[in-house]
Protein backbone atom coordinates (compact mmCIF):
# COMPACT_ATOMS: atom_id res chain seq x y z
CA UNK A 1 0.00 0.00 0.00
CA UNK A 2 2.88 2.35 0.58
CA UNK A 3 3.86 2.62 -3.11
CA UNK A 4 0.49 3.73 -4.59
CA UNK A 5 -0.07 6.23 -1.78
CA UNK A 6 3.57 7.41 -1.64
CA UNK A 7 3.71 6.85 2.11
CA UNK A 8 6.09 4.92 4.32
CA UNK A 9 5.13 1.58 5.86
CA UNK A 10 5.11 3.23 9.27
CA UNK A 11 2.62 5.88 8.15
CA UNK A 12 0.40 3.28 6.50
CA UNK A 13 0.53 1.17 9.67
CA UNK A 14 -0.57 4.13 11.81
CA UNK A 15 -3.46 4.89 9.45
CA UNK A 16 -4.59 1.26 9.40
CA UNK A 17 -4.51 1.09 13.22
CA UNK A 18 -6.40 4.39 13.54
CA UNK A 19 -8.99 3.24 11.00
CA UNK A 20 -9.49 -0.08 12.81
CA UNK A 21 -9.94 1.78 16.11
CA UNK A 22 -12.61 4.06 14.60
CA UNK A 23 -14.42 1.07 13.09
CA UNK A 24 -14.36 -0.65 16.50
CA UNK A 25 -15.55 2.47 18.34
CA UNK A 26 -18.49 2.93 15.96
CA UNK A 27 -19.58 -0.70 15.45
CA UNK A 28 -18.89 -2.15 18.90
CA UNK A 29 -21.95 -0.63 20.63
CA UNK A 30 -24.17 -1.57 17.67
CA UNK A 31 -23.00 -5.09 16.89
CA UNK A 32 -21.57 -6.34 20.20
CA UNK A 33 -23.33 -4.49 23.04
CA UNK A 34 -22.79 -5.55 26.64
CA UNK A 35 -25.75 -7.69 27.76
CA UNK A 36 -28.24 -6.38 30.31
CA UNK A 37 -29.24 -8.34 33.43
CA UNK A 38 -32.30 -9.71 31.61
CA UNK A 39 -30.17 -10.80 28.63
CA UNK A 40 -27.78 -12.60 31.01
CA UNK A 41 -30.81 -14.45 32.45
CA UNK A 42 -31.90 -15.45 28.94
CA UNK A 43 -28.36 -16.63 28.10
CA UNK A 44 -28.27 -18.75 31.28
CA UNK A 45 -31.72 -20.19 30.54
CA UNK A 46 -30.61 -21.09 27.01
CA UNK A 47 -27.48 -22.85 28.38
CA UNK A 48 -29.72 -24.80 30.76
CA UNK A 49 -32.24 -25.74 28.07
CA UNK A 50 -29.77 -26.55 25.29
CA UNK A 51 -26.71 -27.93 27.07
CA UNK A 52 -27.98 -28.79 30.58
CA UNK A 53 -25.71 -26.18 32.24
CA UNK A 54 -28.37 -24.20 34.12
CA UNK A 55 -26.21 -21.43 35.64
CA UNK A 56 -23.71 -20.93 32.80
CA UNK A 57 -23.56 -17.43 31.33
CA UNK A 58 -21.01 -18.15 28.63
CA UNK A 59 -18.30 -20.36 27.23
CA UNK A 60 -14.81 -18.83 27.25
CA UNK A 61 -11.96 -19.90 25.00
CA UNK A 62 -8.92 -18.55 23.21
CA UNK A 63 -7.86 -19.03 19.59
CA UNK A 64 -4.46 -18.35 18.09
CA UNK A 65 -4.69 -16.23 14.94
CA UNK A 66 -1.60 -16.80 12.79
CA UNK A 67 0.29 -13.77 11.50
CA UNK A 68 3.60 -12.81 9.99
CA UNK A 69 6.07 -12.15 12.78
CA UNK A 70 6.45 -8.36 13.17
CA UNK A 71 9.95 -6.93 12.70
CA UNK A 72 12.12 -6.77 15.82
CA UNK A 73 9.53 -8.61 17.94
CA UNK A 74 11.75 -11.57 18.76
CA UNK A 75 9.80 -14.52 20.15
CA UNK A 76 6.95 -12.50 21.71
CA UNK A 77 4.40 -13.66 19.14
CA UNK A 78 5.56 -17.31 18.88
CA UNK A 79 3.08 -19.67 20.50
CA UNK A 80 3.63 -23.19 21.83
CA UNK A 81 2.72 -24.58 18.39
CA UNK A 82 5.76 -22.85 16.89
CA UNK A 83 4.25 -20.11 14.73
CA UNK A 84 3.65 -16.40 15.40
CA UNK A 85 0.13 -15.46 16.45
CA UNK A 86 -2.10 -13.17 18.44
CA UNK A 87 -4.78 -14.55 20.74
CA UNK A 88 -8.49 -13.95 20.25
CA UNK A 89 -10.32 -14.66 23.50
CA UNK A 90 -14.10 -14.69 23.39
CA UNK A 91 -17.05 -15.41 25.62
CA UNK A 92 -19.93 -16.90 23.64
CA UNK A 93 -23.51 -17.82 24.43
CA UNK A 94 -25.19 -21.24 24.12
CA UNK A 95 -25.68 -20.68 20.38
CA UNK A 96 -21.97 -19.91 19.82
CA UNK A 97 -22.54 -16.18 19.27
CA UNK A 98 -19.93 -13.82 20.71
CA UNK A 99 -20.91 -11.89 23.83
CA UNK A 100 -17.50 -10.38 24.74
CA UNK A 101 -14.20 -10.42 22.83
CA UNK A 102 -10.59 -9.49 23.51
CA UNK A 103 -7.98 -9.73 20.77
CA UNK A 104 -4.33 -8.86 20.34
CA UNK A 105 -2.36 -10.46 23.15
CA UNK A 106 0.98 -12.05 22.27
CA UNK A 107 0.80 -15.66 21.07
CA UNK A 108 3.34 -16.81 23.66
CA UNK A 109 0.86 -16.12 26.48
CA UNK A 110 -1.33 -19.02 27.64
CA UNK A 111 -5.15 -18.81 27.69
CA UNK A 112 -5.06 -18.29 31.47
CA UNK A 113 -2.48 -15.52 31.09
CA UNK A 114 -4.51 -13.85 28.35
CA UNK A 115 -7.64 -14.04 30.50
CA UNK A 116 -5.85 -12.47 33.48
CA UNK A 117 -4.90 -9.37 31.44
CA UNK A 118 -7.99 -9.23 29.23
CA UNK A 119 -10.80 -6.70 29.27
CA UNK A 120 -13.18 -9.62 29.95
CA UNK A 121 -11.44 -10.35 33.27
CA UNK A 122 -11.40 -6.66 34.19
CA UNK A 123 -15.10 -6.24 33.46
CA UNK A 124 -15.97 -9.33 35.53
CA UNK A 125 -13.78 -8.42 38.49
CA UNK A 126 -15.02 -4.82 38.60
CA UNK A 127 -18.64 -6.04 38.34
CA UNK A 128 -19.34 -3.86 35.29
CA UNK A 129 -21.34 -6.50 33.38
CA UNK A 130 -24.61 -6.36 35.37
CA UNK A 131 -24.58 -10.15 35.85
CA UNK A 132 -27.42 -11.22 38.19
CA UNK A 133 -26.70 -13.29 41.28
CA UNK A 134 -26.91 -17.10 41.17
CA UNK A 135 -30.32 -17.07 42.82
CA UNK A 136 -32.04 -15.56 39.77
CA UNK A 137 -33.08 -18.98 38.44
CA UNK A 138 -34.38 -20.36 41.74
Amino acid sequence: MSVPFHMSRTSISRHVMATCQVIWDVLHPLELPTPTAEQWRMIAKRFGDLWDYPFAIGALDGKHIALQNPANSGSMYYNYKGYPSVVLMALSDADSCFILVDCGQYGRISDAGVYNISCISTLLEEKQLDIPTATFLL
Side-chain angles (χ1 to χ4, degrees), residues 44-130:
K45 182 176 181 344
R46 183 78 175 142
F47 263 105
D49 294 345
L50 192 61
W51 301 109
D52 202 23
Y53 286 104
F55 291 99
I57 58 166
L60 183 70
D61 197 14
K63 171 72 176 150
H64 287 272
I65 309 298
L67 55 83
Q68 185 176 4
N69 199 30
N72 302 319
S73 64
S75 62
M76 296 294 288
Y77 289 93
Y78 277 91
N79 61 33
Y80 68 96
K81 295 179 180 182
Y83 62 85
S85 66
V86 292
V87 179
L88 166 69
M89 180 158 284
L91 182 74
S92 60
D93 64 15
D95 298 304
S96 301
C97 296
F98 288 158
I99 301 170
L100 302 170
V101 296
D102 184 84
C103 187
Q105 300 300 330
Y106 298 123
R108 69 174 178 80
I109 303 174
S110 68
D111 280 357
V114 171
Y115 172 76
N116 287 334
I117 58 176
S118 72
C119 64
I120 297 170
S121 170
T122 303
L123 291 170
L124 284 169
E125 289 174 8
E126 294 177 0
K127 300 185 186 322
Q128 295 180 4
L129 294 176
D130 198 23

